[in-house]
Amino acid sequence: MTPQHNVTPATDWWRDAVIYQVYPRSFADGNGDGMGDLAGIRSRLPYLRDLGVDAVWLSPFYASPQADAGYDVADYRSIDPMFGTLPDAEAVIREAHRLDLRIIVDLVPNHCSDQHEWFRRGLAEGPGSTARERFHFRKGRGENGEEPPNDWESLFGGPAWTRVPDGEWYLHLFAPEQPDFNWEHPAVQDEFRSILRFWLDLGVDGFRVDVAHGLVKAPGLPDMGHGEQLKLLGNQVLPFFDQDGVHDIYRSWRAVLDEYSGDRIAVAEAWTPTAERTALYLRSDELHQAFNFHYLNTGWDAAALREAIDSSLDAMRPVAAPTTWVLSNHDVVRHRTRLGGGLDRARAATLLMLALPGSAYLYQGEELGLPEVTDLPDEVRQDPSFFRDTGQDGLRDGCRVPIPWSGQQAPYGFGDGGTWLPQPADWAGLSVQAQTGDPGSTLELYRAALALRRTHPGLGAGETVEWLAAPEGVLAFRRPGGLVCTVNVTEAPARLPAPGRLLLSSRQLDASQDDFVLPADTALWWEE
Ligand code: BGC
């Protein structure tokens, strides 16, 4: 296997990169079975190059029974047949590099699948076996061990423990099909360093680390101490999240990453109680970036956004890590729907995000302005939290519907077969084909914004934003190179002086006059 390193060499490329998340099931279907796959991804890489992103993060495509859409990995070194083969993965990496795109793959170290060889061996070899030491097997409480060993709850609902026929219980912070590894065990540590090397040797440019805050559990697995059900990926202080021991793991991983040329990176999905705790994952000998969920969770409110922006930048400064920004991903309601203001607000939010210093993460389909699909029938849902939770909160199928590429009806060019989740009947106008060339479309707005980020590197540069005076509810800030971003976060138009020449607008408007009206839910980029 010859790793491909012909992507443009650049030091610290990731510091202001725009990274596009591909959710393989739902991006493009190359073999017509209704499920997206690696061949589909490969065929659409030129689209991503033309969109103007720097890197592509691929959600898991590894061998998996798909109890949690691939976040239950049975074999970290092989590809699930539904997505293709290892040569297909190599072809995606090679082709991406040829197009000057970097590839980040998902690494799932907190847990594996219950079909992983180690777990199956642990089940077969029984209590007291060395195979069980690689997981968290315990005797239960109660007279006959019929109660779980502690009160931990799964993030998907219900107890975090499942009892096996011989009477022991095993820990799973997510679905019962996702047993947690015991990261105190040297074999687990060695295995993941080896998995890192396997993918680095294949040429990947980095890893997105799933549940990076969860690997180490508090000694003795103490009760979490309250009976309230956890919300998915909450950021409470908990005995199974954000334990100090995780940092030793990331130091050892950084040493592996640094053995390789070409600035290979790792980005943490780390939910911690504070941004300062998140920054600890980004010390110079640990990981490179972390998702900024504080920003993602900030509502459409000028003061709250300004606070989130400043505090995010402040928190990362001591460790000299770039701040990241994200509005949508495969676990949350799409921002067009979540922010409550429709497409205008979503587009304004995007231009605001792309003018901030640091790196930005996009989720497939947001460049088409896709809304959350909120009316999926129960019988098609696949999110494991749907089956374990009584409420509708945290359901994640609505943002995972296959994206529309072309044509008038489903599957809208997704592939030659159907789609694993049904697409809405009114998505024809949202397809890539329908939006291409239409200057008012969301796709062309993203293309224009990403092109400007390349010609005006000041947009992603630096570690601060310089706030400018602005009417109540309007955010205005200057970026290096004399670029100004103004955003009306209110529901009413605002009047303000034009700071210069208009470069880009999140919606069409006439800004030729000196003193102009900035409509509600609108963001503008200016050159002074
Ligand atoms: C992923 C989810 C997944 C969970 C368990 C995450 O945070 O983003 O999609 O269900 O980890 O692996």
Side-chain angles (χ1 to χ4, degrees):
M1 285 175 290
T2 315
Q4 304 297 313
H5 298 306
N6 50 355
V7 70
T8 310
T11 313
D12 288 355
W13 63 270
W14 41 279
R15 287 189 169 270
D16 61 353
V18 177
I19 300 171
Y20 182 100
Q21 180 187 359
V22 163
Y23 195 65
R25 305 176 142 235
S26 307
F27 187 64
D29 175 13
N31 66 359
D33 66 354
M35 183 64 71
D37 50 34
L38 290 165
I41 294 169
R42 184 177 169 198
S43 72
R44 299 293 186 179
L45 287 172
Y47 165 77
L48 297 178
R49 190 257 331 264
D50 294 345
L51 180 61
V53 300
D54 302 295
V56 180
W57 148 34
L58 301 171
S59 279
F61 45 66
Y62 314 108
S64 161
Q66 306 289 323
D68 183 20
Y71 283 93
D72 49 318
V73 180
D75 181 348
Y76 290 84
R77 296 178 185 80
S78 75
I79 307 297
D80 197 279
M82 79 193 229
F83 295 125
T85 61
L86 200 55
D88 290 335
E90 289 184 79
V92 167
I93 298 167
R94 196 167 47 239
E95 182 66 5
H97 287 175
R98 199 181 64 75
L99 296 171
D100 224 5
L101 290 166
R102 288 180 164 83
I103 293 285
I104 291 173
V105 293
D106 223 305
L107 186 72
V108 189
N110 180 67
H111 45 263
C112 58
S113 160
D114 62 353
Q115 298 307 307
H116 189 283
E117 192 201 326
W118 285 10
F119 190 73
R120 286 157 59 114
R121 217 188 297 154
L123 283 188
E125 292 180 11
S129 64
T130 51
R132 284 205 178 180
E133 289 169 8
R134 294 173 182 186
F135 299 91
H136 297 280
F137 276 91
R138 293 285 185 282
K139 294 200 187 337
R141 290 176 175 173
E143 215 173 306
N144 301 306
E146 69 281 11
E147 301 288 335
N150 69 22
D151 69 352
W152 294 4
E153 289 168 22
S154 155
L155 277 86
F156 289 160
W161 296 91
T162 288
R163 198 173 194 193
V164 299
D166 57 47
E168 283 204 334
W169 298 75
Y170 68 89
L171 175 70
H172 53 85
L173 291 183
F174 294 87
E177 296 88 350
Q178 294 168 295
D180 279 46
F181 281 115
N182 171 15
W183 270 89
E184 305 295 330
H185 200 293
V188 173
Q189 299 171 12
D190 288 347
E191 172 66 354
F192 272 87
R193 281 190 294 261
S194 160
I195 293 165
L196 286 177
R197 286 203 174 86
F198 178 85
W199 288 100
L200 290 165
D201 287 342
L202 238 53
V204 303
D205 300 284
F207 300 90
R208 176 262 187 192
V209 183
D210 189 64
V211 196
H213 54 303
L215 278 48
V216 173
K217 277 70 181 177
L221 311 185
D223 281 344
M224 57 189 264
H226 66 88
E228 214 181 282
Q229 182 157 35
L230 286 176
K231 289 288 164 226
L232 184 74
L233 305 177
N235 60 353
Q236 303 96 320
V237 176
L238 293 163
F240 43 81
F241 280 167
D242 195 33
Q243 302 293 306
D244 289 336
V246 290
H247 298 290
D248 291 337
I249 298 168
Y250 298 129
R251 280 187 203 105
S252 84
W253 289 12
R254 180 59 177 261
V256 173
L257 291 168
D258 286 350
E259 285 170 20
Y260 287 79
S261 63
D263 252 16
R264 318 289 180 103
I265 68 156
V267 51
E269 185 210 24
W271 292 83
T272 71
T274 64
E276 288 68 29
R277 292 288 306 179
T278 301
L280 297 179
Y281 291 73
L282 309 180
R283 287 173 285 193
S284 60
D285 58 350
E286 297 194 36
L287 307 179
H288 298 73
Q289 293 184 339
F291 293 109
N292 187 347
F293 295 123
H294 175 41
Y295 187 70
L296 186 149
N297 283 328
T298 303
W300 191 243
D301 173 273
L305 283 165
R306 185 170 165 162
E307 185 285 327
I309 292 166
D310 281 339
S311 63
S312 302
L313 292 164
D314 289 347
M316 296 306 135
R317 207 164 290 120
V319 292
T323 305
T324 66
W325 312 99
V326 59
L327 290 167
S328 286
N329 67 32
H330 68 293
D331 288 330
V332 299
V333 173
R334 284 187 176 277
H335 74 272
R336 167 170 173 177
T337 303
R338 192 185 69 244
L339 293 176
L343 190 53
D344 286 340
R345 186 171 293 177
R347 289 164 55 119
T350 297
L351 281 204
L352 165 60
M353 172 174 82
L354 291 175
L356 296 172
S359 177
Y361 281 82
L362 307 180
Y363 175 52
Q364 66 178 39
E366 70 169 82
E367 79 278 19
L368 305 176
L370 296 189
E372 182 81 358
V373 179
T374 52
D375 58 356
L376 286 171
D378 286 357
E379 57 274 17
V380 304
R381 289 192 175 277
Q382 301 207 7
D383 180 354
S385 56
F386 172 70
F387 302 100
R388 290 176 62 84
D389 209 335
T390 43
Q392 291 295 298
D393 266 7
L395 296 187
R396 302 171 298 170
D397 291 313
C399 62
R400 298 176 177 181
V401 172
I403 66 172
W405 291 92
S406 59
Q408 292 308 307
Q409 61 221 357
Y412 304 111
F414 173 70
D416 294 333
T419 49
W420 67 279
L421 283 174
Q423 296 164 307
D426 60 356
W427 271 15
L430 292 171
S431 75
V432 171
Q433 184 187 47
Q435 296 194 42
T436 295
D438 171 0
S441 74
T442 303
L443 178 56
E444 294 299 350
L445 176 71
Y446 271 73
R447 285 178 173 152
L450 296 173
L452 281 169
R453 260 182 86 104
R454 285 173 183 248
T455 51
H456 294 70
L459 277 162
E463 290 172 5
T464 50
V465 296
E466 180 188 346
W467 294 105
L468 305 173
E472 170 108 32
V474 173
L475 296 175
F477 55 92
R478 183 181 286 119
R479 308 286 297 117
L483 293 144
V484 171
C485 177
T486 51
V487 193
N488 186 351
V489 191
T490 71
E491 291 187 357
R495 187 171 288 282
L496 59 157
R501 182 174 75 87
L502 188 60
L503 284 179
L504 190 62
S505 164
S506 68
R507 75 156 87 166
Q508 291 188 308
L509 77 169
D510 175 16
S512 48
Q513 63 274 55
D514 286 345
D515 194 26
F516 73 96
V517 171
L518 180 59
D521 293 332
T522 305
L524 306 179
W525 288 0
W526 305 86
E527 192 162 37
E528 285 178 314

